[in-house]
Amino acid sequence: MKRRSQLAVLIAALLPASVLASTIEGVVLNNKGKVVSNATVEVEGSDLKVTTDENGKFVIAELNNGLKELHIVAPGYAHLHRDITIINDKKQSVTFNLKRSPIEVIDIEATPIHMSAMESASPVSVLSGEQLRRQQAATLGDSLEKLPGVNTNFHGKVASTPIIRGLSGPRVLITQNGLDVSDVSRVGPDHSVASEASTAQQIEVLRGPATLFYGSGAIGGVVNVVDNRVPTDSTTRGEWNLEHNSVDNQKVASFNATTGTDSVAFYADAFWREADDYEVPVAADIDSDDEEHRGDYKVENSNEESDGFTVGASYLMDNGFIGLAVEQFNRQYGIPGHTHGEEEEEEHSDEEESVFADLEQTKVQLLGEYNLDNKWLNKVNLRVGHTDYEHAEIEGGAVGTTFKNETNELRIDLLHNQFSEWNGGISFHYKQSDVEAQGEEAFTPPSETESFAVALMEERHFGDFLVQVGGRIERVTIEAGDVLLPNIDAHAHDEAQEADEHEHDHEESAETTRVFDVEHEFTPISLSAGVVWDFTPNYNLGLSVSRSERAPSASELLSFGPHIGTGTYEVGALFDLDEDGHLGLSSQTIDLETANNIDLTLRKTQGDVGFILNAFYNQVDNYYYQIDTGLFAESGHDHGDEEGADEHDHGDEEGADEHDHSSELPVYLFKTDDVILHGFEAQIAWQLTDEFKVDLFSDYVRARLKDGGDLPRTPPLRFGSELSYQTDKLSAHIHVTRYQKQDRTAPQETATDGYTLVDASISYDLSVLNQDMSVYLRGTNLTDTEARVHSSFVKNIAPRPGRSFALGIRGYF
């Protein structure tokens, strides 16, 4: 099967075949001979796309001579690819028969070559439609965690980010319409992702290295949020939603709408969300056997209030479009575990004693697509973005620390005409980011990161084999002008120290702080090759190998200060401990992180039973991660954050208990080592009848140091199932997921017990005053299970929410 989808559309009118000579007319049927309406038939390598009518018929006109490949897509069916030879003044009639696929096949949008769950060499997943609405949550990580290979770091339901195959932070890139979301969520787990799922059309996940498409920051994978903020057509449509959730008294309202004229399209969306502290089955700071507190405990400082809106417009042309969109995103959320001490609690109100983040982001995106009548080039895709991000951490009513990120980005894809049956193109990508933090917890100095990249991606079909190859070269520079090297009083807890000695050391530290400039330049090079073999009808085998390089982030290199969100004092890889235990400049070479990854995929693409089985092996050389130095340093101010230092996964419970200095934090140092990550993802779907379907899934990642030892916060083995019932009006689902115990832990990290979660949902479609609506009820953690997320930094003070019910209504127009 040949698999490249051209996303720009020129809807051909359904004219009678006699009007135009070079014409293909036909009908799309299913495997039972029934017509398939609203199926999309497109010509690969062109802009021609039509939709079948209620009789399953279509007409594609104005075709040039030569070999054409048609791509036929319909919900619930496997994609079909068919070669047709066009001869001038000849009309051709065809019939396409689609076969059922219980695993929905949706194309990835923001890639120059074709990628989908069933048809690409690299493993991908897409969350869209009803499944997206059913699984959407307040945070991106929680919205995606039911996808195979994807977990959440669950930072108290307020700032959860995705973990892909055990990797997160600076190794997983989060984008919106192919452009970096440009927040500071990759700097710390307590920083929220500035993106909203309630107004998205689909969310795409590329598992494994995706550096060819997005850059070296995607060495672990990519999450791309797709919306219609820059509309590509002017069809009037939209949806709205109202919802209330019981576990945290959450209220949600959202809408999006598209309309316009023949040449101008308009788009608008908005959302609002408000939630209180959420309830958990058992208080995290008491013995779990104490039944007295069961069911009435709330995670303090886990409330949030968010709102935002987007407006966009496009000029539509016969051969493309150009459009602009502006988004304002606002969010205030508490940071669990980050509160003042008991003495301060008595003196201040609840509002003053809590620490919360106040996030604001303004994003401008310019997107365009132009189809060329050129001997060499077929299409030009343009993406331009400007983001102005800021979030302040408010402590006791005053701003403690402010994080800022201003990013400019440009991406141009030049797609060529088919050359010796190769499809693909070349991509140019520029990104410049200014990141700074000011205040007591500004653990990373202001820095500027600039990158420029050129990438080539191609694919070709050789009989039953689809070959995909690519390469990318980047130049990345990191500059910082005020890098600090304080002479901190880092000490072990068994060292007896008097208060006056502390005071003397602190005065000395202030006098001996060194300030210097840093400039590093890197040249990451990434190569990838993959093949998909249709070795027998309805089955294919995929193999993908890649070598990807990543430049370390500014926070991994330059950090030097308290990070209260993780309960640590962070020190970057630019520094090291000398023989006397003092922190100074490192003599080690600052080098690229290199991932050598292989993916093997077996798929059954059609029939009543479908499956996707992935196995991967990823060796990462020069992997940047944090180690516990065994030392402690002053946080800089008194938070009384004993729980934070005690319960974060960085720290050991016994060590924290022995330590009475509430303003001290364990010192964690970034270092490099060679690591190996390997595991699998399995997804099986069985369409029992037209109404009933069963889905089974499992995933596992083993993350370890090459020379022995385990990486911290690695998600455990999990497996689950979902039983679905679907009719024209009624949809019902019950989902059971088992998380196994995780006892493969890093030093100073505690094991996490296993647990089982049971979720269910039911929705009913109805029409009121010619308005299509859907009323739904969704229940999560129905057994009220105590569940702690091993990959969370705050697992012991912020477990998962208890039993919850959400009631909502959604309308479509």
Side-chain angles (χ1 to χ4, degrees):
M1 288 183 289
K2 201 84 172 262
R3 359 250 211 254
R4 207 174 77 68
S5 162
Q6 300 292 337
L7 298 178
V9 297
L10 177 60
I11 304 299
L14 298 180
L15 300 175
S18 58
V19 175
L20 297 171
S22 300
T23 302
I24 297 177
E25 63 178 13
V27 61
V28 177
L29 307 175
N30 63 19
N31 56 346
K32 296 181 178 180
K34 297 182 179 179
V35 299
V36 179
S37 59
N38 294 317
T40 300
V41 183
E42 58 186 352
V43 181
E44 297 275 7
S46 77
D47 315 309
L48 296 176
K49 178 191 288 187
V50 297
T51 303
T52 58
D53 61 18
E54 65 274 9
N55 298 314
K57 295 183 178 180
F58 69 93
V59 175
I60 303 178
E62 299 181 345
L63 288 169
N64 297 324
N65 294 340
L67 181 68
K68 304 297 179 184
E69 182 184 350
L70 302 186
H71 184 201
I72 302 92
V73 178
Y77 295 93
H79 290 192
L80 179 64
H81 299 260
R82 180 74 63 82
D83 288 339
I84 302 292
T85 300
I86 303 300
I87 302 174
N88 195 29
D89 297 330
K90 295 291 183 179
K91 177 180 67 176
Q92 297 197 43
S93 297
V94 294
T95 299
F96 297 130
N97 292 99
L98 298 182
K99 296 183 179 180
R100 183 190 308 202
S101 174
I103 298 178
E104 190 170 4
V105 185
I106 303 172
D107 288 334
I108 295 286
E109 291 202 1
T111 56
I113 65 175
H114 186 85
M115 299 187 75
S116 72
M118 286 297 193
E119 301 170 296
S120 62
S122 300
V124 301
S125 299
V126 179
L127 194 62
S128 68
E130 183 196 354
Q131 185 183 15
L132 171 60
R133 296 297 173 241
R134 194 168 67 247
Q135 296 183 15
Q136 72 186 37
T139 63
L140 189 61
D142 296 348
S143 297
L144 298 175
E145 68 165 329
K146 291 183 179 179
L147 291 178
V150 184
N151 286 266
T152 175
N153 73 353
F154 194 77
H155 201 85
K157 199 181 70 65
V158 296
S160 306
T161 55
I163 299 173
I164 300 179
R165 293 180 168 180
L167 299 177
S168 61
R171 296 176 183 86
V172 173
L173 182 64
I174 300 173
T175 64
Q176 196 151 25
N177 298 315
L179 295 172
D180 195 338
V181 73
S182 300
D183 50 28
V184 293
S185 61
R186 303 205 293 171
V187 174
D190 56 324
H191 299 163
S192 178
V193 178
S195 185
E196 178 60 27
S198 66
T199 55
Q201 288 183 319
Q202 67 184 48
I203 303 177
E204 307 165 347
V205 179
L206 282 69
R207 303 194 297 275
T211 58
L212 296 179
F213 306 104
Y214 295 95
S216 64
I219 201 170
V222 169
V223 174
N224 183 41
V225 180
V226 180
D227 56 33
N228 196 39
R229 62 180 54 197
V230 176
T232 59
D233 67 87
S234 58
T235 303
T236 298
R237 62 187 182 278
E239 74 176 282
W240 54 267
N241 183 55
L242 298 172
E243 180 180 302
H244 180 269
N245 198 312
S246 64
V247 77
D248 54 1
N249 193 31
Q250 178 180 262
K251 298 172 282 291
V252 181
S254 65
F255 88 93
N256 63 79
T258 303
T259 190
T261 64
D262 290 341
S263 59
V264 180
F266 300 98
Y267 173 84
D269 72 37
F271 78 96
W272 171 80
R273 180 187 300 104
E274 185 176 272
D276 300 332
D277 293 345
Y278 70 89
E279 298 176 352
V280 295
V282 180
D285 58 349
I286 63 172
D287 192 307
S288 61
D289 294 331
D290 188 344
E291 296 292 336
E292 180 181 351
H293 296 273
R294 184 177 293 273
D296 60 0
Y297 178 78
K298 292 186 177 182
V299 174
E300 294 183 5
N301 213 24
S302 61
N303 56 307
E304 68 132 334
E305 184 173 345
S306 304
D307 63 79
F309 68 89
T310 306
V311 292
S314 296
Y315 177 65
L316 307 178
M317 301 168 282
D318 289 341
N319 50 1
F321 73 92
I322 184 82
L324 184 73
V326 180
E327 176 198 27
Q328 181 64 39
F329 183 94
N330 308 299
R331 193 164 193 234
Q332 290 186 352
Y333 62 95
I335 304 177
H338 193 346
T339 56
H340 293 283
E342 293 181 0
E343 294 181 1
E344 292 184 58
E345 291 178 7
E346 295 176 0
E347 299 174 3
H348 299 286
S349 67
D350 290 341
E351 180 180 355
E352 291 176 320
E353 72 191 32
S354 298
V355 178
F356 67 93
D358 187 359
L359 184 160
E360 294 183 6
Q361 184 185 69
T362 302
K363 181 186 294 290
V364 180
Q365 288 191 343
L366 173 68
L367 306 181
E369 196 172 85
Y370 194 80
N371 303 289
L372 302 171
D373 185 12
N374 183 281
K375 180 180 179 181
W376 303 106
L377 292 180
N378 174 47
K379 183 183 297 183
V380 177
N381 292 332
L382 172 68
R383 293 183 177 89
V384 182
H386 171 77
T387 305
D388 191 359
Y389 171 95
E390 177 177 328
H391 97 244
E393 295 187 355
I394 314 298
E395 308 182 36
V399 176
T401 308
T402 301
F403 297 86
K404 298 181 180 179
N405 184 357
E406 184 174 346
T407 299
N408 297 294
E409 188 172 7
L410 169 66
R411 183 172 161 185
I412 300 175
D413 299 329
L414 303 177
L415 307 181
H416 61 74
N417 288 317
Q418 193 174 79
F419 177 75
S420 296
E421 298 189 38
W422 285 95
N423 291 311
I426 188 169
S427 179
F428 301 92
H429 190 188
Y430 172 80
K431 183 163 61 175
Q432 179 263 335
S433 297
D434 285 316
V435 179
E436 68 174 273
Q438 298 176 345
E440 292 179 325
E441 297 170 17
F443 57 94
T444 302
S447 63
E448 178 181 347
T449 301
E450 186 176 47
S451 65
F452 178 76
V454 179
L456 178 69
M457 289 146 283
E458 298 288 335
E459 68 174 14
R460 182 183 172 182
H461 194 75
F462 295 89
D464 292 330
F465 293 87
L466 172 69
V467 176
Q468 297 178 325
V469 296
R472 182 185 181 99
I473 183 170
E474 288 186 72
R475 183 182 65 88
V476 180
T477 59
I478 300 176
E479 297 181 1
D482 295 306
V483 179
L484 304 181
L485 176 54
N487 183 21
I488 64 170
D489 173 31
H491 57 275
H493 274 165
D494 57 1
E495 297 176 359
Q497 299 193 15
E498 300 295 333
D500 58 344
E501 291 178 335
H502 278 286
E503 183 177 353
H504 174 74
D505 289 339
H506 295 166
E507 292 175 359
E508 182 182 358
S509 298
E511 295 173 359
T512 60
T513 297
R514 296 170 57 188
V515 181
F516 55 96
D517 296 340
V518 169
E519 180 175 351
H520 283 277
E521 181 173 320
F522 305 93
T523 308
I525 298 175
S526 299
L527 301 171
S528 177
V531 61
V532 181
W533 176 29
D534 297 316
F535 61 92
T536 192
N538 305 338
Y539 292 85
N540 67 44
L541 185 66
L543 174 67
S544 175
V545 294
S546 64
R547 177 180 174 85
S548 306
E549 295 181 328
R550 180 181 77 91
S553 67
S555 61
E556 290 172 314
L557 290 181
L558 309 176
S559 295
F560 208 120
H563 189 180
I564 307 300
T566 60
T568 63
Y569 195 102
E570 295 195 359
V571 179
L574 196 63
F575 312 98
D576 203 353
L577 287 169
D578 61 24
E579 294 179 355
D580 297 328
H582 296 108
L583 287 164
L585 288 176
S586 174
S587 60
Q588 300 294 321
T589 302
I590 303 299
D591 207 348
L592 292 167
E593 186 176 278
T594 303
N596 299 282
N597 187 82
I598 183 169
D599 265 282
L600 184 64
T601 304
L602 175 64
R603 308 180 182 98
K604 185 176 186 297
T605 60
Q606 301 174 12
D608 291 334
V609 177
F611 59 75
I612 305 174
L613 308 177
N614 296 315
F616 66 91
Y617 182 92
N618 190 6
Q619 178 176 319
V620 186
D621 298 332
N622 210 46
Y623 181 90
Y624 287 83
Y625 72 109
Q626 290 175 298
I627 62 166
D628 186 357
T629 64
L631 303 178
F632 291 81
E634 293 290 335
S635 67
H637 60 290
D638 292 330
H639 272 291
D641 194 18
E642 295 181 23
E643 281 188 323
D646 176 33
E647 304 294 358
H648 287 71
D649 279 32
H650 273 311
D652 177 57
E653 296 181 10
E654 292 183 7
D657 290 339
E658 295 171 359
H659 151 59
D660 293 327
H661 304 287
S662 61
S663 62
E664 290 186 333
L665 298 174
V667 177
Y668 272 73
L669 175 68
F670 277 96
K671 65 165 292 186
T672 60
D673 215 329
D674 296 341
V675 306
I676 294 175
L677 302 100
H678 57 89
F680 68 85
E681 298 116 13
Q683 181 182 4
I684 303 172
W686 182 11
Q687 193 76 45
L688 299 171
T689 67
D690 289 340
E691 293 81 20
F692 284 98
K693 187 173 79 166
V694 173
D695 288 277
L696 305 173
F697 86 97
S698 180
D699 57 21
Y700 173 73
V701 60
R702 174 83 168 91
R704 57 186 174 89
L705 299 175
K706 188 176 181 180
D707 295 331
D710 298 290
L711 290 180
R713 293 175 303 282
T714 300
L717 168 68
R718 63 175 180 171
F719 46 88
S721 64
E722 182 178 72
L723 176 63
S724 303
Y725 176 78
Q726 183 86 46
T727 66
D728 291 340
K729 297 289 186 181
L730 183 66
S731 175
H733 307 265
I734 182 166
H735 193 285
V736 181
T737 306
R738 172 64 187 178
Y739 292 79
Q740 293 294 88
K741 179 179 180 180
Q742 180 57 287
D743 54 9
R744 295 184 182 273
T745 56
Q748 309 302 326
E749 184 186 18
T750 57
T752 305
D753 291 337
Y755 54 90
T756 302
L757 295 179
V758 180
D759 303 333
S761 66
I762 185 169
S763 65
Y764 185 77
D765 296 339
L766 65 160
S767 180
V768 179
L769 300 176
N770 293 323
Q771 168 77 60
D772 292 330
M773 295 184 184
S774 178
V775 179
Y776 61 90
L777 175 66
R778 183 171 63 247
T780 55
N781 195 4
L782 294 178
T783 57
D784 207 26
T785 297
E786 177 187 353
R788 303 182 190 275
V789 180
H790 182 77
S791 51
S792 172
F793 280 86
V794 290
K795 70 172 185 179
N796 288 330
I797 61 173
R800 290 182 184 270
R803 182 185 297 114
S804 177
F805 294 96
L807 179 64
I809 183 170
R810 183 174 292 112
Y812 305 88
F813 57 90

